[in-house]
Amino acid sequence: MLLNPSTDTLRRLAGALEITDHTSGLLTRWKPNSEQLKLWDHGEKYRLNYALKPRQIGISTSECLKDLAFVLANAASGTPVEAWIVFDVEAKGISKLELVHSFARQLRRDCIRRDNQLLFPTIGTDTYSKISAMTAGGKRSGAGLSCHRLHMSELPAWQDASGAFTAIMSCLNQSGQAVIETTMILGQEIAKRLWTNSPANAWKTCFFSVEDHAEYKRPAELFQPDHPDLPEDRLRDIGFTNIETMAFIQHAYVNLVDEDFLALGREYPMTSAQCFAAAEGRWIRITPKTLPSTGYKVGEHTLRIFVPPEETSGQCVIGLDTAGGLGQDRSAIAVIDRKTRKLCASFVDEWITIEKLISVAIETQKLYTRIEKNEYPTLKDPPPREP
């Protein structure tokens, strides 16, 4: 059975560490804040945890410590394990791996850095336990690999988040742990769906309100009850009760989110409902209403037909967008009726080769190309000549 570090263990380890204070930029002895302790408690009770949070409250840092503590505890018991830190871009994952490495050095734990991995000796075996920085890169993320702890951050920003999430979760050991910690930025709908489907799914949600974070306060005398955009009555309708937090929210609105009320709700939410309400109306760009269509087989591939050829104006154009066929981007074909401006047919695939894409395009062209009929007089009835 995998060992899961307790909150008391994590608090003790944190007390031996120095971290950079993001306000002053100086190294300081780590005193875990209430949000970090709350998520550690949550992780002690549940295997799959989903934390939705305001920006910059230290959750990524505290979960990096748990990544390290998890690997160290199991390696010390003779069980080789792997933990993955998964971000939308490589640079962020590497940055967090370097943070974990600094924790290991401060705690004087044996550790080897190798590219995007940290290796730790496992007692009684010749196998290393590992912490790896991973990039969420589509449906093949982590293919053929396995892990025992997943630390996933900024899920809404992942490329093909649904496919990447499914692929990565399939690598998690049956008794393994996973945590999602994110701010609700604009992005893939899976982040919203996982949250709103709890507790029907296995994910246990943990929300952190901006009002609970001690650093998101400003002096009460700076609060403007009659603020032109964020007056007191509007803030109280949202759910705010603390005047110092309301003063910070007014400050953030002008100075941190460029007076974008929707961004304010995503970055510094008071309630989870407010957070997701701020995203409504923009999810449509990610999951548009599905048009009715039929499938038309072209070899092993399927062309989606929205307007049959016989119902078009006969003035269709076909466009191609090619990708590498490596699962990182998508090749596409689109048929547009020039007269009606309607999408008549489409084809999308991230693994198709250029040669096969051209074959599909040729068949699509045959399907939608009509021989132009010009109404000229026959030879038996020649046009009149000028005298």
Side-chain angles (χ1 to χ4, degrees), residues 291 296 298 303-321 332-348 360-370:
L291 296 173
Y296 180 83
V298 181
L303 182 72
R304 303 310 306 177
I305 303 293
F306 303 104
V307 180
E310 63 273 13
E311 296 180 15
T312 69
S313 70
Q315 301 179 31
C316 292
V317 293
I318 302 174
L320 276 74
D321 183 16
I333 298 172
V335 180
I336 305 294
D337 190 319
R338 291 177 59 190
K339 186 174 182 180
T340 65
R341 298 293 192 267
K342 289 184 177 180
L343 175 66
C344 301
S346 71
F347 171 80
V348 179
V360 175
I362 290 173
E363 291 302 315
T364 303
Q365 182 186 33
K366 291 178 181 178
L367 187 64
Y368 277 91
T369 299
R370 294 188 188 179

mmCIF file of all heavy atoms in Angstrom, residues 291 296 298 303-321 332-348 360-370:
data_model
loop_
_atom_site.group_PDB
_atom_site.id
_atom_site.type_symbol
_atom_site.label_atom_id
_atom_site.label_comp_id
_atom_site.label_asym_id
_atom_site.label_seq_id
_atom_site.Cartn_x
_atom_site.Cartn_y
_atom_site.Cartn_z
ATOM 1 N N LEU A 291 -23.547 21.013 -35.190
ATOM 2 C CA LEU A 291 -24.452 21.012 -36.326
ATOM 3 C C LEU A 291 -24.827 19.569 -36.675
ATOM 4 O O LEU A 291 -23.997 18.663 -36.552
ATOM 5 C CB LEU A 291 -23.770 21.659 -37.536
ATOM 6 C CG LEU A 291 -23.399 23.141 -37.413
ATOM 7 C CD1 LEU A 291 -22.587 23.567 -38.630
ATOM 8 C CD2 LEU A 291 -24.658 23.980 -37.304
ATOM 9 N N TYR A 296 -19.557 10.342 -44.192
ATOM 10 C CA TYR A 296 -19.295 9.846 -45.542
ATOM 11 C C TYR A 296 -17.918 9.207 -45.522
ATOM 12 O O TYR A 296 -16.909 9.889 -45.297
ATOM 13 C CB TYR A 296 -19.352 11.003 -46.554
ATOM 14 C CG TYR A 296 -19.097 10.590 -47.983
ATOM 15 C CD1 TYR A 296 -20.130 10.072 -48.770
ATOM 16 C CD2 TYR A 296 -17.834 10.727 -48.545
ATOM 17 C CE1 TYR A 296 -19.894 9.692 -50.088
ATOM 18 C CE2 TYR A 296 -17.596 10.354 -49.857
ATOM 19 C CZ TYR A 296 -18.621 9.835 -50.630
ATOM 20 O OH TYR A 296 -18.389 9.465 -51.926
ATOM 21 N N VAL A 298 -14.456 7.779 -46.474
ATOM 22 C CA VAL A 298 -13.422 7.929 -47.500
ATOM 23 C C VAL A 298 -12.281 7.020 -47.060
ATOM 24 O O VAL A 298 -11.430 7.409 -46.257
ATOM 25 C CB VAL A 298 -12.941 9.385 -47.635
ATOM 26 C CG1 VAL A 298 -11.887 9.485 -48.731
ATOM 27 C CG2 VAL A 298 -14.108 10.310 -47.929
ATOM 28 N N LEU A 303 -15.646 11.732 -43.525
ATOM 29 C CA LEU A 303 -15.918 13.139 -43.812
ATOM 30 C C LEU A 303 -17.286 13.468 -43.230
ATOM 31 O O LEU A 303 -18.248 12.717 -43.411
ATOM 32 C CB LEU A 303 -15.913 13.362 -45.324
ATOM 33 C CG LEU A 303 -16.145 14.787 -45.845
ATOM 34 C CD1 LEU A 303 -14.930 15.648 -45.569
ATOM 35 C CD2 LEU A 303 -16.424 14.750 -47.351
ATOM 36 N N ARG A 304 -17.381 14.578 -42.468
ATOM 37 C CA ARG A 304 -18.660 14.992 -41.909
ATOM 38 C C ARG A 304 -19.385 15.874 -42.923
ATOM 39 O O ARG A 304 -18.856 16.893 -43.374
ATOM 40 C CB ARG A 304 -18.464 15.773 -40.599
ATOM 41 C CG ARG A 304 -17.717 15.063 -39.499
ATOM 42 C CD ARG A 304 -18.237 13.683 -39.206
ATOM 43 N NE ARG A 304 -19.670 13.655 -38.933
ATOM 44 C CZ ARG A 304 -20.352 12.535 -38.713
ATOM 45 N NH1 ARG A 304 -19.735 11.361 -38.758
ATOM 46 N NH2 ARG A 304 -21.645 12.584 -38.449
ATOM 47 N N ILE A 305 -20.603 15.460 -43.315
ATOM 48 C CA ILE A 305 -21.397 16.182 -44.305
ATOM 49 C C ILE A 305 -22.484 16.976 -43.586
ATOM 50 O O ILE A 305 -23.362 16.416 -42.932
ATOM 51 C CB ILE A 305 -22.060 15.209 -45.301
ATOM 52 C CG1 ILE A 305 -21.011 14.336 -45.996
ATOM 53 C CG2 ILE A 305 -22.894 15.985 -46.313
ATOM 54 C CD1 ILE A 305 -20.093 15.097 -46.916
ATOM 55 N N PHE A 306 -22.422 18.299 -43.718
ATOM 56 C CA PHE A 306 -23.440 19.161 -43.112
ATOM 57 C C PHE A 306 -24.476 19.611 -44.144
ATOM 58 O O PHE A 306 -25.659 19.756 -43.835
ATOM 59 C CB PHE A 306 -22.776 20.387 -42.476
ATOM 60 C CG PHE A 306 -21.737 20.038 -41.452
ATOM 61 C CD1 PHE A 306 -20.386 20.143 -41.746
ATOM 62 C CD2 PHE A 306 -22.095 19.578 -40.198
ATOM 63 C CE1 PHE A 306 -19.421 19.817 -40.808
ATOM 64 C CE2 PHE A 306 -21.143 19.242 -39.243
ATOM 65 C CZ PHE A 306 -19.800 19.357 -39.553
ATOM 66 N N VAL A 307 -24.007 19.858 -45.367
ATOM 67 C CA VAL A 307 -24.902 20.204 -46.474
ATOM 68 C C VAL A 307 -24.565 19.274 -47.629
ATOM 69 O O VAL A 307 -23.450 19.337 -48.170
ATOM 70 C CB VAL A 307 -24.734 21.675 -46.917
ATOM 71 C CG1 VAL A 307 -25.684 21.999 -48.066
ATOM 72 C CG2 VAL A 307 -24.965 22.629 -45.749
ATOM 73 N N PRO A 308 -25.467 18.382 -48.034
ATOM 74 C CA PRO A 308 -25.182 17.458 -49.133
ATOM 75 C C PRO A 308 -24.854 18.217 -50.412
ATOM 76 O O PRO A 308 -25.341 19.342 -50.625
ATOM 77 C CB PRO A 308 -26.485 16.656 -49.270
ATOM 78 C CG PRO A 308 -27.162 16.795 -47.945
ATOM 79 C CD PRO A 308 -26.800 18.165 -47.449
ATOM 80 N N PRO A 309 -24.054 17.620 -51.285
ATOM 81 C CA PRO A 309 -23.645 18.317 -52.525
ATOM 82 C C PRO A 309 -24.817 18.828 -53.341
ATOM 83 O O PRO A 309 -24.761 19.934 -53.901
ATOM 84 C CB PRO A 309 -22.868 17.227 -53.276
ATOM 85 C CG PRO A 309 -22.349 16.325 -52.199
ATOM 86 C CD PRO A 309 -23.393 16.312 -51.142
ATOM 87 N N GLU A 310 -25.900 18.025 -53.417
ATOM 88 C CA GLU A 310 -27.038 18.428 -54.246
ATOM 89 C C GLU A 310 -27.796 19.622 -53.671
ATOM 90 O O GLU A 310 -28.615 20.237 -54.364
ATOM 91 C CB GLU A 310 -28.000 17.251 -54.437
ATOM 92 C CG GLU A 310 -28.648 16.720 -53.165
ATOM 93 C CD GLU A 310 -27.804 15.675 -52.457
ATOM 94 O OE1 GLU A 310 -26.603 15.540 -52.806
ATOM 95 O OE2 GLU A 310 -28.343 14.998 -51.564
ATOM 96 N N GLU A 311 -27.545 19.990 -52.405
ATOM 97 C CA GLU A 311 -28.233 21.118 -51.792
ATOM 98 C C GLU A 311 -27.388 22.387 -51.766
ATOM 99 O O GLU A 311 -27.815 23.410 -51.222
ATOM 100 C CB GLU A 311 -28.667 20.747 -50.370
ATOM 101 C CG GLU A 311 -29.690 19.619 -50.322
ATOM 102 C CD GLU A 311 -30.115 19.269 -48.907
ATOM 103 O OE1 GLU A 311 -29.832 20.097 -47.996
ATOM 104 O OE2 GLU A 311 -30.713 18.200 -48.697
ATOM 105 N N THR A 312 -26.187 22.321 -52.313
ATOM 106 C CA THR A 312 -25.319 23.507 -52.345
ATOM 107 C C THR A 312 -25.656 24.366 -53.562
ATOM 108 O O THR A 312 -26.424 23.953 -54.452
ATOM 109 C CB THR A 312 -23.834 23.111 -52.404
ATOM 110 O OG1 THR A 312 -23.562 22.514 -53.682
ATOM 111 C CG2 THR A 312 -23.489 22.127 -51.286
ATOM 112 N N SER A 313 -25.064 25.537 -53.621
ATOM 113 C CA SER A 313 -25.274 26.422 -54.768
ATOM 114 C C SER A 313 -24.444 25.998 -55.967
ATOM 115 O O SER A 313 -24.600 26.554 -57.058
ATOM 116 C CB SER A 313 -24.891 27.863 -54.381
ATOM 117 O OG SER A 313 -23.478 27.960 -54.208
ATOM 118 N N GLY A 314 -23.558 25.024 -55.759
ATOM 119 C CA GLY A 314 -22.650 24.618 -56.827
ATOM 120 C C GLY A 314 -21.404 25.475 -56.880
ATOM 121 O O GLY A 314 -20.554 25.311 -57.762
ATOM 122 N N GLN A 315 -21.257 26.393 -55.919
ATOM 123 C CA GLN A 315 -20.093 27.289 -55.896
ATOM 124 C C GLN A 315 -19.270 27.036 -54.616
ATOM 125 O O GLN A 315 -19.047 27.939 -53.820
ATOM 126 C CB GLN A 315 -20.547 28.737 -55.956
ATOM 127 C CG GLN A 315 -21.360 29.080 -57.198
ATOM 128 C CD GLN A 315 -21.801 30.530 -57.196
ATOM 129 O OE1 GLN A 315 -21.121 31.409 -56.667
ATOM 130 N NE2 GLN A 315 -22.955 30.798 -57.791
ATOM 131 N N CYS A 316 -18.846 25.803 -54.440
ATOM 132 C CA CYS A 316 -18.102 25.438 -53.228
ATOM 133 C C CYS A 316 -16.599 25.589 -53.417
ATOM 134 O O CYS A 316 -16.064 25.397 -54.516
ATOM 135 C CB CYS A 316 -18.413 23.990 -52.841
ATOM 136 S SG CYS A 316 -20.108 23.740 -52.293
ATOM 137 N N VAL A 317 -15.938 25.940 -52.337
ATOM 138 C CA VAL A 317 -14.478 25.979 -52.317
ATOM 139 C C VAL A 317 -14.004 25.031 -51.217
ATOM 140 O O VAL A 317 -14.682 24.840 -50.204
ATOM 141 C CB VAL A 317 -13.930 27.400 -52.061
ATOM 142 C CG1 VAL A 317 -14.241 28.303 -53.222
ATOM 143 C CG2 VAL A 317 -14.484 27.968 -50.770
ATOM 144 N N ILE A 318 -12.837 24.434 -51.434
ATOM 145 C CA ILE A 318 -12.278 23.473 -50.490
ATOM 146 C C ILE A 318 -10.948 24.001 -49.971
ATOM 147 O O ILE A 318 -10.079 24.385 -50.764
ATOM 148 C CB ILE A 318 -12.084 22.099 -51.151
ATOM 149 C CG1 ILE A 318 -13.421 21.581 -51.684
ATOM 150 C CG2 ILE A 318 -11.475 21.106 -50.167
ATOM 151 C CD1 ILE A 318 -13.304 20.300 -52.474
ATOM 152 N N GLY A 319 -10.802 24.012 -48.647
ATOM 153 C CA GLY A 319 -9.553 24.471 -48.029
ATOM 154 C C GLY A 319 -8.915 23.370 -47.208
ATOM 155 O O GLY A 319 -9.604 22.546 -46.605
ATOM 156 N N LEU A 320 -7.569 23.344 -47.186
ATOM 157 C CA LEU A 320 -6.811 22.361 -46.415
ATOM 158 C C LEU A 320 -5.893 23.071 -45.434
ATOM 159 O O LEU A 320 -5.314 24.125 -45.749
ATOM 160 C CB LEU A 320 -5.944 21.480 -47.326
ATOM 161 C CG LEU A 320 -6.581 20.258 -47.989
ATOM 162 C CD1 LEU A 320 -7.498 20.707 -49.119
ATOM 163 C CD2 LEU A 320 -5.509 19.329 -48.516
ATOM 164 N N ASP A 321 -5.758 22.504 -44.242
ATOM 165 C CA ASP A 321 -4.777 22.966 -43.260
ATOM 166 C C ASP A 321 -4.008 21.730 -42.808
ATOM 167 O O ASP A 321 -4.583 20.807 -42.228
ATOM 168 C CB ASP A 321 -5.466 23.634 -42.068
ATOM 169 C CG ASP A 321 -4.463 24.190 -41.064
ATOM 170 O OD1 ASP A 321 -3.281 24.327 -41.427
ATOM 171 O OD2 ASP A 321 -4.852 24.481 -39.923
ATOM 172 N N ALA A 332 -6.851 19.488 -41.326
ATOM 173 C CA ALA A 332 -8.275 19.731 -41.516
ATOM 174 C C ALA A 332 -8.611 20.008 -42.978
ATOM 175 O O ALA A 332 -7.775 20.517 -43.736
ATOM 176 C CB ALA A 332 -8.736 20.909 -40.650
ATOM 177 N N ILE A 333 -9.826 19.655 -43.343
ATOM 178 C CA ILE A 333 -10.402 19.989 -44.644
ATOM 179 C C ILE A 333 -11.744 20.640 -44.384
ATOM 180 O O ILE A 333 -12.507 20.174 -43.530
ATOM 181 C CB ILE A 333 -10.594 18.731 -45.522
ATOM 182 C CG1 ILE A 333 -9.250 18.060 -45.810
ATOM 183 C CG2 ILE A 333 -11.310 19.086 -46.828
ATOM 184 C CD1 ILE A 333 -9.389 16.709 -46.518
ATOM 185 N N ALA A 334 -12.038 21.721 -45.090
ATOM 186 C CA ALA A 334 -13.331 22.382 -44.947
ATOM 187 C C ALA A 334 -13.884 22.714 -46.327
ATOM 188 O O ALA A 334 -13.134 23.151 -47.209
ATOM 189 C CB ALA A 334 -13.203 23.650 -44.117
ATOM 190 N N VAL A 335 -15.169 22.481 -46.512
ATOM 191 C CA VAL A 335 -15.860 22.833 -47.755
ATOM 192 C C VAL A 335 -16.859 23.939 -47.432
ATOM 193 O O VAL A 335 -17.731 23.769 -46.575
ATOM 194 C CB VAL A 335 -16.600 21.616 -48.347
ATOM 195 C CG1 VAL A 335 -17.308 22.010 -49.639
ATOM 196 C CG2 VAL A 335 -15.631 20.468 -48.589
ATOM 197 N N ILE A 336 -16.711 25.083 -48.098
ATOM 198 C CA ILE A 336 -17.559 26.243 -47.850
ATOM 199 C C ILE A 336 -18.319 26.593 -49.131
ATOM 200 O O ILE A 336 -17.742 26.608 -50.216
ATOM 201 C CB ILE A 336 -16.727 27.474 -47.412
ATOM 202 C CG1 ILE A 336 -15.855 27.139 -46.207
ATOM 203 C CG2 ILE A 336 -17.637 28.659 -47.119
ATOM 204 C CD1 ILE A 336 -16.610 26.835 -44.946
ATOM 205 N N ASP A 337 -19.602 26.873 -48.986
ATOM 206 C CA ASP A 337 -20.416 27.335 -50.113
ATOM 207 C C ASP A 337 -20.188 28.845 -50.247
ATOM 208 O O ASP A 337 -20.516 29.623 -49.345
ATOM 209 C CB ASP A 337 -21.890 27.033 -49.852
ATOM 210 C CG ASP A 337 -22.757 27.261 -51.086
ATOM 211 O OD1 ASP A 337 -22.535 28.261 -51.790
ATOM 212 O OD2 ASP A 337 -23.666 26.436 -51.328
ATOM 213 N N ARG A 338 -19.616 29.270 -51.350
ATOM 214 C CA ARG A 338 -19.275 30.690 -51.540
ATOM 215 C C ARG A 338 -20.515 31.577 -51.536
ATOM 216 O O ARG A 338 -20.451 32.732 -51.123
ATOM 217 C CB ARG A 338 -18.524 30.876 -52.859
ATOM 218 C CG ARG A 338 -17.133 30.273 -52.872
ATOM 219 C CD ARG A 338 -16.493 30.437 -54.237
ATOM 220 N NE ARG A 338 -16.398 31.831 -54.625
ATOM 221 C CZ ARG A 338 -16.058 32.241 -55.847
ATOM 222 N NH1 ARG A 338 -15.822 31.359 -56.797
ATOM 223 N NH2 ARG A 338 -15.974 33.527 -56.112
ATOM 224 N N LYS A 339 -21.620 31.051 -51.996
ATOM 225 C CA LYS A 339 -22.828 31.864 -52.103
ATOM 226 C C LYS A 339 -23.533 32.004 -50.762
ATOM 227 O O LYS A 339 -23.926 33.111 -50.361
ATOM 228 C CB LYS A 339 -23.768 31.261 -53.144
ATOM 229 C CG LYS A 339 -24.993 32.120 -53.428
ATOM 230 C CD LYS A 339 -25.799 31.545 -54.578
ATOM 231 C CE LYS A 339 -27.003 32.432 -54.898
ATOM 232 N NZ LYS A 339 -27.800 31.881 -56.037
ATOM 233 N N THR A 340 -23.709 30.888 -50.051
ATOM 234 C CA THR A 340 -24.460 30.917 -48.786
ATOM 235 C C THR A 340 -23.558 31.112 -47.567
ATOM 236 O O THR A 340 -24.045 31.391 -46.473
ATOM 237 C CB THR A 340 -25.242 29.608 -48.599
ATOM 238 O OG1 THR A 340 -24.311 28.519 -48.449
ATOM 239 C CG2 THR A 340 -26.144 29.344 -49.799
ATOM 240 N N ARG A 341 -22.252 30.946 -47.775
ATOM 241 C CA ARG A 341 -21.252 31.042 -46.701
ATOM 242 C C ARG A 341 -21.419 29.934 -45.642
ATOM 243 O O ARG A 341 -20.926 30.040 -44.534
ATOM 244 C CB ARG A 341 -21.307 32.412 -45.995
ATOM 245 C CG ARG A 341 -20.987 33.591 -46.904
ATOM 246 C CD ARG A 341 -19.535 33.552 -47.359
ATOM 247 N NE ARG A 341 -19.114 34.784 -47.987
ATOM 248 C CZ ARG A 341 -19.162 35.016 -49.301
ATOM 249 N NH1 ARG A 341 -19.664 34.094 -50.107
ATOM 250 N NH2 ARG A 341 -18.741 36.147 -49.791
ATOM 251 N N LYS A 342 -22.102 28.857 -45.983
ATOM 252 C CA LYS A 342 -22.305 27.762 -45.044
ATOM 253 C C LYS A 342 -21.156 26.757 -45.113
ATOM 254 O O LYS A 342 -20.568 26.541 -46.181
ATOM 255 C CB LYS A 342 -23.625 27.042 -45.338
ATOM 256 C CG LYS A 342 -24.869 27.820 -44.987
ATOM 257 C CD LYS A 342 -26.112 26.970 -45.235
ATOM 258 C CE LYS A 342 -27.382 27.712 -44.821
ATOM 259 N NZ LYS A 342 -28.595 26.877 -45.069
ATOM 260 N N LEU A 343 -20.881 26.150 -43.965
ATOM 261 C CA LEU A 343 -19.946 25.031 -43.922
ATOM 262 C C LEU A 343 -20.683 23.794 -44.425
ATOM 263 O O LEU A 343 -21.684 23.375 -43.830
ATOM 264 C CB LEU A 343 -19.448 24.796 -42.489
ATOM 265 C CG LEU A 343 -18.544 23.568 -42.263
ATOM 266 C CD1 LEU A 343 -17.219 23.739 -42.985
ATOM 267 C CD2 LEU A 343 -18.307 23.342 -40.769
ATOM 268 N N CYS A 344 -20.201 23.221 -45.499
ATOM 269 C CA CYS A 344 -20.888 22.077 -46.113
ATOM 270 C C CYS A 344 -20.322 20.744 -45.658
ATOM 271 O O CYS A 344 -21.047 19.762 -45.540
ATOM 272 C CB CYS A 344 -20.797 22.170 -47.633
ATOM 273 S SG CYS A 344 -21.516 23.682 -48.302
ATOM 274 N N ALA A 345 -19.013 20.686 -45.416
ATOM 275 C CA ALA A 345 -18.384 19.435 -44.993
ATOM 276 C C ALA A 345 -17.074 19.754 -44.304
ATOM 277 O O ALA A 345 -16.472 20.805 -44.537
ATOM 278 C CB ALA A 345 -18.152 18.517 -46.196
ATOM 279 N N SER A 346 -16.641 18.836 -43.437
ATOM 280 C CA SER A 346 -15.358 19.042 -42.758
ATOM 281 C C SER A 346 -14.734 17.702 -42.402
ATOM 282 O O SER A 346 -15.413 16.675 -42.293
ATOM 283 C CB SER A 346 -15.544 19.883 -41.489
ATOM 284 O OG SER A 346 -16.203 19.140 -40.486
ATOM 285 N N PHE A 347 -13.430 17.753 -42.228
ATOM 286 C CA PHE A 347 -12.661 16.581 -41.805
ATOM 287 C C PHE A 347 -11.521 17.063 -40.919
ATOM 288 O O PHE A 347 -10.831 18.033 -41.269
ATOM 289 C CB PHE A 347 -12.103 15.833 -43.025
ATOM 290 C CG PHE A 347 -11.130 14.743 -42.664
ATOM 291 C CD1 PHE A 347 -11.593 13.514 -42.219
ATOM 292 C CD2 PHE A 347 -9.772 14.953 -42.749
ATOM 293 C CE1 PHE A 347 -10.695 12.507 -41.865
ATOM 294 C CE2 PHE A 347 -8.871 13.963 -42.399
ATOM 295 C CZ PHE A 347 -9.333 12.727 -41.958
ATOM 296 N N VAL A 348 -11.339 16.422 -39.766
ATOM 297 C CA VAL A 348 -10.281 16.802 -38.830
ATOM 298 C C VAL A 348 -9.623 15.534 -38.284
ATOM 299 O O VAL A 348 -10.317 14.591 -37.900
ATOM 300 C CB VAL A 348 -10.831 17.636 -37.643
ATOM 301 C CG1 VAL A 348 -9.708 17.985 -36.670
ATOM 302 C CG2 VAL A 348 -11.503 18.911 -38.133
ATOM 303 N N VAL A 360 -8.021 12.140 -49.151
ATOM 304 C CA VAL A 360 -9.343 12.540 -48.661
ATOM 305 C C VAL A 360 -9.796 13.818 -49.358
ATOM 306 O O VAL A 360 -10.971 13.963 -49.721
ATOM 307 C CB VAL A 360 -9.320 12.741 -47.133
ATOM 308 C CG1 VAL A 360 -10.656 13.284 -46.628
ATOM 309 C CG2 VAL A 360 -8.986 11.429 -46.426
ATOM 310 N N ALA A 361 -8.869 14.755 -49.562
ATOM 311 C CA ALA A 361 -9.204 16.020 -50.220
ATOM 312 C C ALA A 361 -9.648 15.792 -51.664
ATOM 313 O O ALA A 361 -10.598 16.431 -52.145
ATOM 314 C CB ALA A 361 -8.005 16.963 -50.178
ATOM 315 N N ILE A 362 -8.985 14.864 -52.363
ATOM 316 C CA ILE A 362 -9.356 14.577 -53.754
ATOM 317 C C ILE A 362 -10.762 13.990 -53.821
ATOM 318 O O ILE A 362 -11.584 14.373 -54.663
ATOM 319 C CB ILE A 362 -8.334 13.618 -54.396
ATOM 320 C CG1 ILE A 362 -6.991 14.351 -54.605
ATOM 321 C CG2 ILE A 362 -8.850 13.082 -55.732
ATOM 322 C CD1 ILE A 362 -5.874 13.452 -55.061
ATOM 323 N N GLU A 363 -11.073 13.066 -52.913
ATOM 324 C CA GLU A 363 -12.418 12.481 -52.889
ATOM 325 C C GLU A 363 -13.466 13.529 -52.529
ATOM 326 O O GLU A 363 -14.583 13.515 -53.051
ATOM 327 C CB GLU A 363 -12.458 11.315 -51.893
ATOM 328 C CG GLU A 363 -11.653 10.106 -52.314
ATOM 329 C CD GLU A 363 -12.102 9.555 -53.656
ATOM 330 O OE1 GLU A 363 -13.332 9.433 -53.870
ATOM 331 O OE2 GLU A 363 -11.236 9.274 -54.500
ATOM 332 N N THR A 364 -13.092 14.434 -51.632
ATOM 333 C CA THR A 364 -14.015 15.518 -51.257
ATOM 334 C C THR A 364 -14.266 16.432 -52.446
ATOM 335 O O THR A 364 -15.395 16.875 -52.696
ATOM 336 C CB THR A 364 -13.430 16.327 -50.088
ATOM 337 O OG1 THR A 364 -13.165 15.456 -48.988
ATOM 338 C CG2 THR A 364 -14.388 17.414 -49.637
ATOM 339 N N GLN A 365 -13.198 16.711 -53.203
ATOM 340 C CA GLN A 365 -13.333 17.550 -54.394
ATOM 341 C C GLN A 365 -14.270 16.903 -55.409
ATOM 342 O O GLN A 365 -15.141 17.571 -55.984
ATOM 343 C CB GLN A 365 -11.965 17.787 -55.029
ATOM 344 C CG GLN A 365 -12.005 18.687 -56.262
ATOM 345 C CD GLN A 365 -10.661 18.777 -56.939
ATOM 346 O OE1 GLN A 365 -9.910 17.818 -56.938
ATOM 347 N NE2 GLN A 365 -10.354 19.929 -57.502
ATOM 348 N N LYS A 366 -14.113 15.588 -55.623
ATOM 349 C CA LYS A 366 -14.987 14.884 -56.566
ATOM 350 C C LYS A 366 -16.445 14.969 -56.119
ATOM 351 O O LYS A 366 -17.351 15.111 -56.933
ATOM 352 C CB LYS A 366 -14.568 13.418 -56.669
ATOM 353 C CG LYS A 366 -13.226 13.183 -57.339
ATOM 354 C CD LYS A 366 -12.884 11.699 -57.333
ATOM 355 C CE LYS A 366 -11.533 11.428 -57.966
ATOM 356 N NZ LYS A 366 -11.179 9.985 -57.917
ATOM 357 N N LEU A 367 -16.639 14.883 -54.806
ATOM 358 C CA LEU A 367 -17.997 14.883 -54.270
ATOM 359 C C LEU A 367 -18.683 16.232 -54.456
ATOM 360 O O LEU A 367 -19.875 16.306 -54.755
ATOM 361 C CB LEU A 367 -17.950 14.521 -52.785
ATOM 362 C CG LEU A 367 -19.272 14.297 -52.054
ATOM 363 C CD1 LEU A 367 -19.993 13.090 -52.645
ATOM 364 C CD2 LEU A 367 -19.020 14.095 -50.567
ATOM 365 N N TYR A 368 -17.927 17.310 -54.276
ATOM 366 C CA TYR A 368 -18.547 18.642 -54.271
ATOM 367 C C TYR A 368 -18.301 19.469 -55.529
ATOM 368 O O TYR A 368 -18.781 20.593 -55.628
ATOM 369 C CB TYR A 368 -18.058 19.434 -53.046
ATOM 370 C CG TYR A 368 -18.849 19.100 -51.804
ATOM 371 C CD1 TYR A 368 -18.448 18.081 -50.957
ATOM 372 C CD2 TYR A 368 -20.023 19.788 -51.504
ATOM 373 C CE1 TYR A 368 -19.173 17.749 -49.820
ATOM 374 C CE2 TYR A 368 -20.765 19.467 -50.380
ATOM 375 C CZ TYR A 368 -20.335 18.451 -49.545
ATOM 376 O OH TYR A 368 -21.061 18.129 -48.432
ATOM 377 N N THR A 369 -17.547 18.948 -56.486
ATOM 378 C CA THR A 369 -17.288 19.705 -57.717
ATOM 379 C C THR A 369 -18.350 19.397 -58.750
ATOM 380 O O THR A 369 -18.651 18.224 -59.027
ATOM 381 C CB THR A 369 -15.903 19.353 -58.295
ATOM 382 O OG1 THR A 369 -14.909 19.707 -57.338
ATOM 383 C CG2 THR A 369 -15.646 20.128 -59.577
ATOM 384 N N ARG A 370 -18.920 20.417 -59.339
ATOM 385 C CA ARG A 370 -19.889 20.258 -60.411
ATOM 386 C C ARG A 370 -19.312 20.832 -61.701
ATOM 387 O O ARG A 370 -18.605 21.840 -61.680
ATOM 388 C CB ARG A 370 -21.196 20.991 -60.094
ATOM 389 C CG ARG A 370 -21.980 20.426 -58.913
ATOM 390 C CD ARG A 370 -23.318 21.120 -58.837
ATOM 391 N NE ARG A 370 -24.053 20.768 -57.631
ATOM 392 C CZ ARG A 370 -25.245 21.265 -57.337
ATOM 393 N NH1 ARG A 370 -25.814 22.133 -58.166
ATOM 394 N NH2 ARG A 370 -25.866 20.901 -56.231
#
